[in-house]
Amino acid sequence: DQVRVFAAASVAPSLQKIADTYKADKGVEVLVTPAASGALARQIEAGAPADVFISADLKWMTYANEKGLMKTGSSFNLLGNSLVLVAAKDDKVAVDLADKAALPAVLGDERLAIGEAKSVPAGAYAEEALKSLGLFEAVAPRFAPAENVRVALQMVARGEAKLGIVYGTDAAAEPGVAVVATFPEASHKAIVYPIGLTKDAGPGAADFIAYLKGPEADAVFTAAGFIKPAK
Amino acid sequence: MPDLSPDAWIAIALSFKVAAVATLCGVPVSTVLALILARGRFPGKALFDGLIHLPLVLPPVVTGYALLLLLGRKGLIGAFLDQHFGIVFAFRWTGAVVAAVVMSLPIIVRAIRLSIEAVDTRLEQASGALGAGPFATFFLVTLPLSLPGILVGATLGFAKALGEFGATITFVSNIPGETRTIASAIYTASQSPEGDGEALLLSVIAACIGLTALVASEIIARWFRRASS
Amino acid sequence: MPDLSPDAWIAIALSFKVAAVATLCGVPVSTVLALILARGRFPGKALFDGLIHLPLVLPPVVTGYALLLLLGRKGLIGAFLDQHFGIVFAFRWTGAVVAAVVMSLPIIVRAIRLSIEAVDTRLEQASGALGAGPFATFFLVTLPLSLPGILVGATLGFAKALGEFGATITFVSNIPGETRTIASAIYTASQSPEGDGEALLLSVIAACIGLTALVASEIIARWFRRASS
Amino acid sequence: MIDVEIHQRLGDFQLDVDFSGDGGVTALFGPSGSGKSSVIKFIAGLTRLRSGRIVVDDAVMADGQGRHVPPYRRRIGVVFQEARLFPHMSVGRNLRYGRLFTPRGQRHIAEGPVIDTLGIGHLLDRHPATLSGGEQQRVSLGRALLASPRLLLMDEPLASLDAPRRLEILPLIEALRDEFAIPIVYVSHAVEEVVRLASKVVVLEAGKVARVGSPTDVFRVAADRFEIMSVIEGRLGPPNAPFHLTPVETPAGIVWLNGLVRPLGREVRVLVHATDVALATHRPDGVTIRTVLAGTVAEVPEGSGSSVTIDVELDGGSHLAASVTRAAVAELDLKPGRQVFALVKSVALDERPL
Amino acid sequence: MIDVEIHQRLGDFQLDVDFSGDGGVTALFGPSGSGKSSVIKFIAGLTRLRSGRIVVDDAVMADGQGRHVPPYRRRIGVVFQEARLFPHMSVGRNLRYGRLFTPRGQRHIAEGPVIDTLGIGHLLDRHPATLSGGEQQRVSLGRALLASPRLLLMDEPLASLDAPRRLEILPLIEALRDEFAIPIVYVSHAVEEVVRLASKVVVLEAGKVARVGSPTDVFRVAADRFEIMSVIEGRLGPPNAPFHLTPVETPAGIVWLNGLVRPLGREVRVLVHATDVALATHRPDGVTIRTVLAGTVAEVPEGSGSSVTIDVELDGGSHLAASVTRAAVAELDLKPGRQVFALVKSVALDERPL
Ligand SMILES: Nc1ncnc2c1ncn2[C@@H]1O[C@H](COP(=O)(O)OP(=O)(O)OP(=O)(O)O)[C@@H](O)[C@H]1O
Ligand SMILES: Nc1ncnc2c1ncn2[C@@H]1O[C@H](COP(=O)(O)OP(=O)(O)OP(=O)(O)O)[C@@H](O)[C@H]1O
Ligand SMILES: [Mg+2]
Ligand SMILES: [Mg+2]
């Protein structure tokens, strides 16, 4: 039989790799369906065939829980991520986030690529972090909000935007960018990827979630740059 | 193309199926709608026209979401269809067809309508004077003379169905083998940097399929023009 | 509509501007392209035709990405334009216009081409026999007789420009006041659980603008038909 | 058989027409723009009648008050002024189109003879776009006929055909009229055709009926002297086979018809153009003109031009119009009561009797 | 002035035509589908010539070898068989269309008289869709004229007009020919028109030139006896004003023309239909026929129908065709060498000399 996983697009590539080995090991097929977290949550609400839901942020898992779509108590934070400031690889810049003048100065009248705060979790975290560092007012007019983090990364890699704020995982995977600075963990809410069983999850789903917590999965996630979720 | 994953091949086949079926369903529906809009006179025609054009004006995601609300298994119409006819669109490839049809409807309807309105009404009069009723006149005169528009509609509809993404992924998600079309596969691949190559390759394949359809339609059009001279 | 944020109003105004300018630019360009495709005979025509249709076949994000690669400040053409003419599209509303034009091009070109091909060539011959060269014939005979298609093209282009989202946000981002159109605003709103209300409201507004454009085009078309009988 | 009453405005043009037609051919005659084609379109039901009445064979087709039988239910065939062929169908399919909608029992008109007479047999597989003007017109004529309509409307069906071809097709129209008894409303600018075919002529001028009557009556007073004609009735005599002539016996003398026309004793009408008649004061001899009819001058109109049309009462009472110069009138002292002999060049008569 | 040589296949139709025209009107005559319109389209440059040669006024328009002056550079006006009016323009704008592209200095033809003669002044603000067939044809004619072309191609320009209207428009075409010296290629099925206008007739049959020559020569041997004509040359005598007649003095006698034609002494050509000629063995008297010409029978063809066309050599040497019944030939014993008098109904002559 099958385990059907509705996963936020950003987790999907790693998840797919794990699914492949899981099938080889356990003989159970895992069907990974990637899309935006919001779309997935609403699809589950509309009766989509999902056993497991992995969201890229808390709010959509909360939404799913509030709508009674999930098995009560089944959800927990599977992964965490860090938030980093990136620049194009060849662009030799250094920014000290503690220095309030540094970021605006480096930015000049160029753009800062971030995820669109309302739709992309990374964007929301970025705004929050900038606010807490007191940088928001200065750089907000220079934002270039992107529809997803991959596009934001490309903007930086292509030199269209001077800097970008993305997840550590994205920065690690994209050879065209280099990490300039990492936002302190305290500057934003913990970045977490909650996972849970849907209300009518099949029997194999819990096993797969258990597997995701195991060492094989952990190796894949770590290689992709994910970190342990803050408790 | 050795570096294309089997999943990608499945997506290509699926896209092809979805686009073909969407075109086959979309063109007749559009022809009827185009005829109604071109010739009909009824109150609320403007609104009806507007409704057909809506998917063009709204972001595809919104259309997809509207489809989910209407045609999802718990949706207004979807629940009805499910209970009475056992028809389910949500999260099936047929749903992808529905999304593609809805999204391409304004384009197809417009092309066909344009052609219908270009038909010389004096020929339709001549048909009537020869004893052909409205139906016969439509099928024997109006429709064949609108063939250029129908062909264009079919081509655009097919192309649009290949490229449709936003409404599809929102309505029927991105389930491998069931609703993952080329467009969704490109999206999926582009989510990781290693996927860039695959995304590009898939884009090229989509472009090639589109180009083939286009060339085929041009050949049909030319053949048709030659046949009538 | 008191619950609409000032940002939303800005997005509406911007969308209007982008759609209007995109229509004004897209229609003449499309007319020329349609004429070339309808009448021209040159090697590689099929490929050229395919290129124009590409934005229909590919997911919008891919088109947006391609625009970024080509027309971005560091892009192939973009860098050239920037250095020699100081023209920058990236992150500007003009870029949104470019995205809208590119995305609606296949639709507009097809509509106009359909109308051009429906023009009775015997009238063009008559024009030639009266001494009008190809240009004069085009502007005095072909173009006015293709007006239905041009009008349909303009309407579809305007609607599409209002609804365009994927390519726009990828190419020129989603900067409030600069590149955040209604479509982006609707999408953004729809992506957070609390945004439903705003998304719905904005959708209704977009639908109304689209409907208004549609009704206007129908009125113009009717007026034109009456004028020639 | 057909009753037409139309009162309607078309743009700036006011059409006020009222006439009826019997079983034969009713000709609509009149200058360009006088409303002939408009009348045709009303009868066919292609323009909606808002005020008036169209009755065909006792069936009310339109009464201007909401009753409007749609064209496809009228079984009225129309030969349009422009050919209106279906461009996407071969000539053959164009021709057979109407047949599809004609009940089997009413397909009176056979395909073969029509196609042969129209000379379009070699065009059946062609598409209309490449046909010549006259070919298109003939196909369009054939298409209307093959629908076996119960009333036929023809709008200048022979306008772009050469004279020999017209003469070939006219008998076909006569056959429709006589053998198939299809009433016909016929628009034409050719007086010859109208006179030959029609039993009634309706002359339109600026949307009004200017004159109605038999061809003789109408063209007798026609404005243009080339249009003035007379009709003489008589009975066929025994043909003169060696010389290919047939006599028509009339009280005023013998009218010689070209060709062998039968049967003996048949009542026929013979048509004479006023310009084909000369008058002599005594019976001429040694002249090739063979038809000489005796009569007396009934009326010599005043006139100022070079010609006048004299009304001659032939022995037996029928009238003959003769167009002669005023100079001749003066020289021969032609005046009412004077005995004259009308010389009619037999070769100028039509090939077939009316 | 114009040299035409065409060898080309159109579908199944092979066109092989070779003729030239002088400054006057060259008529293209022939049955439906014989290739007249096709020739027009080649001369205008609307069909590309692949083999042959079109020369107008010493300028090679097309030589079948790559030289192909585009239509808009030829300054050749075309009146198409179908009107081809621009549906989106008012009649006025249609009429003025060609003028836009005519160099100022070459706008020879004034608008007013053309519009008046065509009777389309009241239509200027209308759109073509609502015009009657004849109105469309007249506008199309006017449109071609007002471009002041250097060569005019007319494809049945008067086909759907009534006789009086035709008689009004013919002088306009004559004026183009005479006053503006525009050479014209004229397609028509109406022998009257052709004879009246043309100095040269090219008869096409199935895509080949069957006969070429002056109207007299061509129609003298025409297949259909209604088309046979003769031309007699003479000199205008002093008009008879009270009777509105003008004598044309010829060696064989006086031909009386209707109307007052001047100036005295002008050489004119007079046209006689063979069917309008009767023969007498002695000079008749007491007959309204005023034109009596003396001559001798030159040839009496064998024949089996009712009529034969006799060739009469008039005194002075010109020839006159007379269509008479074989019965009359036998009765009067007409044979070559016999002295005869040709009776020509003067009223059947054309209004104006050729
Ligand atoms: N919709 C309209 N608006 C204005 N005038 C019209 C309209 N329809 C017809 N007419 C006018 O009515 C008149 C009659 O037209 P119709 O076609 O009946 O003429 P017709 O007798 O057939 O002439 P023809 O012999 O030239 O074909 C014309 O002068 C035409 O211009
Ligand atoms: N493309 C083509 N393919 C086949 N046949 C053609 C083509 N074009 C013309 N013809 C044929 O050539 C012949 C001559 O046509 P054309 O139009 O020149 O005739 P026309 O002399 O003008 O006749 P009409 O008096 O009927 O107008 C016709 O029989 C027509 O069917
Ligand atoms: Mg008419
Ligand atoms: Mg022709």
Side-chain angles (χ1 to χ4, degrees):
Chain A
D1 58 4
Q2 268 186 346
V3 178
R4 298 158 304 179
V5 180
F6 272 32
S10 49
V11 200
S14 303
L15 213 55
Q16 187 62 53
K17 284 189 194 126
I18 295 166
D20 292 344
T21 43
Y22 189 71
K23 185 174 183 199
D25 287 0
K26 307 274 158 69
V28 177
E29 196 185 353
V30 177
L31 217 55
V32 180
T33 298
S37 305
L40 294 172
R42 282 175 163 139
Q43 285 167 351
I44 292 168
E45 185 182 6
D51 300 309
V52 177
F53 173 41
I54 306 179
S55 170
D57 59 9
L58 268 175
K59 75 183 172 193
W60 284 109
M61 185 58 84
T62 310
Y63 176 86
N65 273 316
E66 279 170 357
K67 295 277 175 181
L69 306 174
M70 312 300 293
K71 273 207 171 71
T72 8
S74 73
S75 56
F76 65 98
N77 296 336
L78 176 67
L79 298 168
N81 215 333
S82 58
L83 197 65
V84 298
L85 184 69
V86 294
K89 203 159 130 252
D90 308 328
D91 203 5
K92 303 271 175 284
V93 290
V95 175
D96 180 4
L97 289 175
D99 178 357
K100 281 194 183 174
L103 185 58
V106 170
L107 209 50
D109 58 359
E110 302 237 19
R111 291 279 168 187
L112 173 65
I114 63 165
E116 161 62 46
K118 278 192 191 157
S119 56
V120 185
Y125 292 123
E127 282 197 1
E128 188 191 354
L130 289 171
K131 274 179 188 151
S132 75
L133 293 175
L135 292 166
F136 185 80
E137 300 295 327
V139 298
R142 310 311 312 158
F143 279 171
E147 190 245 345
N148 64 56
V149 176
R150 287 280 304 151
V151 173
L153 261 180
Q154 286 303 327
M155 286 179 181
V156 177
R158 290 271 148 210
E160 299 296 341
K162 179 87 174 173
L163 298 167
I165 302 174
V166 297
Y167 288 139
T169 48
D170 300 304
E174 173 58 56
V177 301
V179 174
V180 174
T182 302
F183 285 87
E185 275 186 30
S187 66
H188 53 84
K189 280 203 287 293
I191 302 170
V192 292
Y193 295 80
I195 188 170
L197 289 169
T198 63
K199 203 146 172 82
D200 31 39
D207 295 345
F208 182 64
I209 289 186
Y211 185 82
L212 286 179
K213 290 193 277 190
E216 294 94 336
D218 193 52
V220 175
F221 285 133
T222 310
F226 288 105
I227 58 176
K228 291 263 171 294
K231 288 290 170 269
Chain B
M1 301 171 209
D3 23 358
L4 217 54
S5 66
D7 272 8
W9 282 113
I10 293 173
I12 292 169
L14 181 71
S15 264
F16 206 83
K17 179 165 82 173
V18 167
V21 174
T23 308
L24 285 178
C25 301
V27 168
V29 171
S30 301
T31 307
V32 172
L33 292 176
L35 187 73
I36 293 172
L37 287 172
R39 295 290 156 80
R41 274 187 204 175
F42 51 93
K45 181 172 151 180
L47 214 70
F48 180 62
D49 197 14
L51 204 67
I52 290 174
H53 283 75
L54 218 50
L56 210 57
V57 180
L58 296 177
V61 173
V62 173
T63 307
Y65 191 48
L67 285 177
L68 193 62
L69 291 184
L70 283 177
L71 290 176
R73 255 193 309 193
K74 301 184 185 155
L76 277 175
I77 305 170
F80 175 83
L81 288 178
D82 189 5
Q83 279 158 34
H84 292 80
F85 305 98
I87 299 174
V88 178
F89 289 122
F91 313 111
R92 302 272 168 89
W93 71 273
T94 48
V97 170
V98 171
V101 168
V102 168
M103 290 302 287
S104 56
L105 214 57
I107 313 177
I108 314 185
V109 168
R110 271 302 192 165
I112 299 179
R113 181 174 167 191
L114 204 52
S115 262
I116 289 180
E117 286 176 337
V119 170
D120 191 343
T121 50
R122 292 176 309 169
L123 295 177
E124 295 170 328
Q125 286 188 343
S127 168
L130 286 162
F135 263 93
T137 296
F138 177 68
F139 281 106
L140 295 174
V141 177
T142 316
L143 200 63
L145 289 175
S146 306
L147 223 67
I150 294 173
L151 202 61
V152 165
T155 317
L156 290 179
F158 187 84
K160 176 76 200 166
L162 276 182
E164 215 308 296
F165 163 66
T168 308
I169 199 173
T170 311
F171 178 30
V172 293
S173 198
N174 182 11
I175 305 169
E178 182 73 36
T179 61
R180 181 177 295 172
T181 59
I182 301 187
S184 313
I186 293 175
Y187 167 76
T188 308
S190 72
Q191 288 305 314
S192 71
E194 317 95 71
D196 279 357
E198 184 165 341
L200 183 66
L201 197 56
L202 280 169
S203 296
V204 171
I205 291 172
C208 287
I209 298 178
L211 192 65
T212 310
L214 208 65
V215 169
S217 88
E218 296 279 350
I219 290 171
I220 297 173
R222 201 171 308 164
W223 175 85
F224 170 72
R225 247 173 284 155
R226 196 166 300 158
S228 72
S229 69
Chain C
M1 300 170 208
D3 27 357
L4 217 54
S5 65
D7 270 9
W9 282 114
I10 293 173
I12 291 169
L14 181 71
S15 266
F16 208 82
K17 179 164 82 170
V18 168
V21 174
T23 309
L24 285 179
C25 299
V27 167
V29 171
S30 301
T31 307
V32 172
L33 293 175
L35 186 72
I36 293 173
L37 287 172
R39 295 291 155 80
R41 273 187 204 174
F42 51 93
K45 181 173 153 181
L47 214 68
F48 179 62
D49 196 14
L51 205 67
I52 290 174
H53 282 75
L54 220 48
L56 210 58
V57 180
L58 297 176
V61 174
V62 174
T63 307
Y65 190 58
L67 283 176
L68 193 65
L69 292 187
L70 284 177
L71 290 176
R73 258 192 320 180
K74 304 279 161 65
L76 278 175
I77 305 170
F80 175 82
L81 288 177
D82 189 5
Q83 278 159 34
H84 292 82
F85 305 99
I87 299 174
V88 178
F89 290 122
F91 307 122
R92 303 275 166 87
W93 71 272
T94 49
V97 169
V98 171
V101 168
V102 167
M103 289 302 287
S104 55
L105 215 56
I107 312 176
I108 313 184
V109 168
R110 271 304 193 166
I112 299 180
R113 180 175 167 190
L114 204 51
S115 263
I116 288 181
E117 286 177 336
V119 170
D120 191 343
T121 50
R122 292 177 309 170
L123 295 177
E124 295 170 328
Q125 287 189 343
S127 168
L130 286 162
F135 264 93
T137 296
F138 176 68
F139 281 106
L140 295 174
V141 177
T142 316
L143 201 63
L145 289 175
S146 307
L147 224 66
I150 294 173
L151 203 60
V152 165
T155 317
L156 289 179
F158 187 84
K160 176 77 201 165
L162 277 182
E164 215 311 293
F165 158 67
T168 307
I169 195 169
T170 308
F171 178 29
V172 293
S173 189
N174 186 13
I175 304 166
E178 185 73 34
T179 60
R180 178 177 294 173
T181 60
I182 305 188
S184 315
I186 295 174
Y187 173 77
T188 309
S190 74
Q191 291 305 306
S192 66
E194 324 84 65
D196 281 0
E198 185 169 347
L200 185 66
L201 193 57
L202 281 170
S203 293
V204 170
I205 291 173
C208 287
I209 298 177
L211 193 65
T212 310
L214 208 66
V215 168
S217 89
E218 296 278 352
I219 290 171
I220 296 174
R222 202 171 306 164
W223 175 83
F224 171 73
R225 246 173 285 153
R226 198 166 299 160
S228 72
S229 71
Chain D
M1 298 287 225
I2 160 164
D3 255 298
V4 177
E5 191 192 335
I6 303 166
H7 304 284
Q8 197 152 322
R9 228 183 154 62
L10 301 161
D12 287 339
F13 180 76
Q14 176 71 37
L15 194 63
D16 284 299
V17 168
D18 191 347
F19 68 87
S20 60
D22 56 14
V25 173
T26 305
L28 288 182
F29 196 83
S32 171
S34 56
K36 306 178 295 296
S37 301
S38 305
V39 170
I40 293 284
K41 281 176 208 150
F42 275 113
I43 301 176
L46 302 176
T47 315
R48 215 188 166 92
L49 186 71
R50 284 192 305 270
S51 163
R53 216 174 131 81
I54 310 279
V55 184
V56 177
D57 286 345
D58 300 327
V60 179
M61 292 296 161
D63 61 5
Q65 262 135 40
R67 190 178 179 84
H68 173 83
V69 178
Y72 60 93
R73 292 239 182 77
R74 295 193 180 189
R75 294 202 59 229
I76 297 180
V78 187
V79 181
F80 295 95
Q81 196 164 7
E82 344 82 75
R84 298 201 189 183
L85 299 178
F86 302 126
H88 58 297
M89 296 181 187
S90 68
V91 166
R93 286 193 57 209
N94 265 283
L95 287 171
R96 274 170 225 121
Y97 190 87
R99 184 152 281 227
L100 293 176
F101 310 103
T102 312
R104 204 166 281 275
Q106 293 173 14
R107 297 180 191 162
H108 306 305
I109 298 174
E111 217 170 278
V114 168
I115 291 176
D116 286 349
T117 307
L118 294 173
I120 50 180
H122 61 294
L123 303 175
L124 295 182
D125 292 331
R126 292 261 297 278
H127 275 256
T130 61
L131 298 187
S132 83
E135 285 164 351
Q136 289 182 19
Q137 205 171 27
R138 285 179 276 156
V139 174
S140 158
L141 182 55
R143 184 179 67 173
L145 300 189
L146 292 178
S148 306
R150 65 170 175 185
L151 167 67
L152 195 50
L153 311 175
M154 305 173 104
D155 200 346
E156 304 194 35
L158 309 181
S160 48
L161 295 179
D162 48 302
R165 182 63 78 183
R166 280 177 197 229
L167 288 178
E168 273 170 53
I169 296 177
L170 278 171
L172 175 66
I173 299 175
E174 287 170 332
L176 293 172
R177 177 193 65 187
D178 302 333
E179 288 168 38
F180 297 99
I182 300 177
I184 297 174
V185 176
Y186 193 90
V187 174
S188 174
H189 290 123
V191 179
E192 308 274 342
E193 279 170 29
V194 168
V195 164
R196 178 163 169 181
L197 295 172
S199 51
K200 183 167 197 171
V201 180
V202 178
V203 179
L204 296 186
E205 256 161 45
K208 314 268 171 297
V209 175
R211 284 193 297 286
V212 193
S214 68
T216 347
D217 293 343
V218 165
F219 291 117
R220 209 185 163 90
V221 291
D224 182 1
R225 80 192 150 89
F226 287 104
E227 291 178 356
I228 303 178
M229 314 230 160
S230 315
V231 168
I232 303 170
E233 299 188 348
R235 186 183 296 274
L236 289 181
N240 176 343
F243 288 122
H244 261 257
L245 293 176
T246 307
V248 178
E249 290 154 5
T250 79
I254 288 172
V255 176
W256 288 96
L257 284 182
N258 278 353
L260 302 176
V261 188
R262 294 195 167 83
L264 192 70
R266 171 151 80 100
E267 298 276 359
V268 291
R269 290 191 298 157
V270 169
L271 182 87
V272 183
H273 285 251
T275 51
D276 280 332
V277 180
L279 300 178
T281 47
H282 52 87
R283 186 177 287 274
D285 67 331
V287 178
T288 52
I289 297 175
R290 318 237 335 125
T291 299
V292 179
L293 303 173
T296 49
V297 173
E299 192 192 344
V300 180
E302 289 292 308
S304 60
S306 45
S307 306
V308 289
T309 302
I310 291 182
D311 183 13
V312 176
E313 182 170 346
L314 297 178
D315 296 359
S318 53
H319 282 256
L320 181 69
S323 173
V324 301
T325 56
R326 286 203 296 126
V329 170
E331 193 185 296
L332 301 188
D333 191 24
L334 298 178
K335 54 190 172 199
R338 172 116 206 217
Q339 156 102 44
V340 288
F341 296 90
L343 280 63
V344 181
K345 268 215 87 183
S346 60
V347 288
L349 291 175
D350 249 314
E351 305 266 346
R352 292 173 61 130
L354 295 168
Chain E
M1 299 287 227
I2 162 166
D3 253 297
V4 177
E5 191 193 333
I6 303 166
H7 304 284
Q8 197 152 322
R9 231 187 149 62
L10 301 161
D12 286 341
F13 180 75
Q14 176 71 37
L15 194 63
D16 284 298
V17 169
D18 190 347
F19 68 88
S20 60
D22 55 15
V25 173
T26 306
L28 288 182
F29 195 84
S32 171
S34 56
K36 306 178 296 294
S37 301
S38 305
V39 169
I40 294 282
K41 281 177 208 151
F42 276 112
I43 301 177
L46 302 175
T47 315
R48 213 185 169 94
L49 187 71
R50 284 192 304 270
S51 163
R53 218 174 129 81
I54 309 278
V55 183
V56 177
D57 286 345
D58 300 327
V60 178
M61 292 296 163
D63 63 4
Q65 262 133 41
R67 190 179 180 83
H68 174 83
V69 179
Y72 60 94
R73 292 239 184 78
R74 296 194 179 188
R75 294 206 53 232
I76 296 179
V78 187
V79 182
F80 294 95
Q81 196 164 5
E82 343 83 74
R84 297 202 191 183
L85 298 178
F86 301 126
H88 58 299
M89 296 181 188
S90 68
V91 166
R93 287 193 56 210
N94 265 283
L95 287 171
R96 273 169 226 123
Y97 190 86
R99 183 153 284 228
L100 293 177
F101 310 103
T102 312
R104 206 166 280 276
Q106 294 174 14
R107 296 182 191 162
H108 307 305
I109 298 174
E111 218 170 276
V114 168
I115 290 176
D116 286 349
T117 308
L118 294 173
I120 50 180
H122 62 294
L123 303 173
L124 295 183
D125 291 330
R126 292 261 298 278
H127 274 259
T130 60
L131 297 187
S132 83
E135 284 164 350
Q136 288 181 20
Q137 205 169 30
R138 284 179 278 155
V139 173
S140 158
L141 182 56
R143 185 179 65 171
L145 301 189
L146 292 178
S148 306
R150 65 171 175 184
L151 168 67
L152 195 50
L153 311 175
M154 306 173 101
D155 200 346
E156 305 194 34
L158 309 181
S160 47
L161 295 178
D162 47 304
R165 183 61 80 182
R166 278 178 200 230
L167 288 179
E168 271 169 53
I169 295 176
L170 277 173
L172 175 65
I173 299 175
E174 286 171 332
L176 294 172
R177 178 192 65 186
D178 302 333
E179 286 167 40
F180 296 99
I182 300 178
I184 298 173
V185 176
Y186 193 91
V187 174
S188 173
H189 290 123
V191 179
E192 309 273 344
E193 279 170 29
V194 169
V195 164
R196 178 161 168 184
L197 295 172
S199 52
K200 184 166 197 170
V201 180
V202 178
V203 180
L204 296 186
E205 255 162 42
K208 313 267 171 298
V209 175
R211 282 191 300 284
V212 192
S214 67
T216 350
D217 293 343
V218 164
F219 291 118
R220 209 185 162 90
V221 293
D224 183 3
R225 78 194 150 87
F226 287 103
E227 291 176 357
I228 303 179
M229 314 230 158
S230 314
V231 167
I232 303 172
E233 298 188 348
R235 188 184 294 273
L236 289 182
N240 177 344
F243 288 122
H244 261 254
L245 293 177
T246 306
V248 178
E249 290 155 4
T250 79
I254 287 173
V255 176
W256 289 94
L257 285 183
N258 278 354
L260 303 177
V261 188
R262 295 196 167 83
L264 191 70
R266 171 151 79 99
E267 297 277 358
V268 292
R269 291 189 297 157
V270 169
L271 183 88
V272 184
H273 285 252
T275 50
D276 280 334
V277 179
L279 299 178
T281 48
H282 51 86
R283 188 175 286 272
D285 66 329
V287 179
T288 53
I289 297 176
R290 318 235 338 123
T291 298
V292 179
L293 303 174
T296 48
V297 173
E299 193 193 340
V300 181
E302 289 292 306
S304 57
S306 45
S307 306
V308 289
T309 302
I310 292 183
D311 182 14
V312 176
E313 182 171 344
L314 297 177
D315 296 357
S318 53
H319 283 255
L320 181 68
S323 174
V324 302
T325 56
R326 287 202 297 125
V329 170
E331 192 185 298
L332 303 188
D333 192 23
L334 298 177
K335 54 190 170 198
R338 172 119 204 211
Q339 158 103 43
V340 288
F341 296 89
L343 281 65
V344 182
K345 269 216 84 181
S346 62
V347 286
L349 292 176
D350 247 313
E351 304 266 343
R352 292 172 61 131
L354 295 169

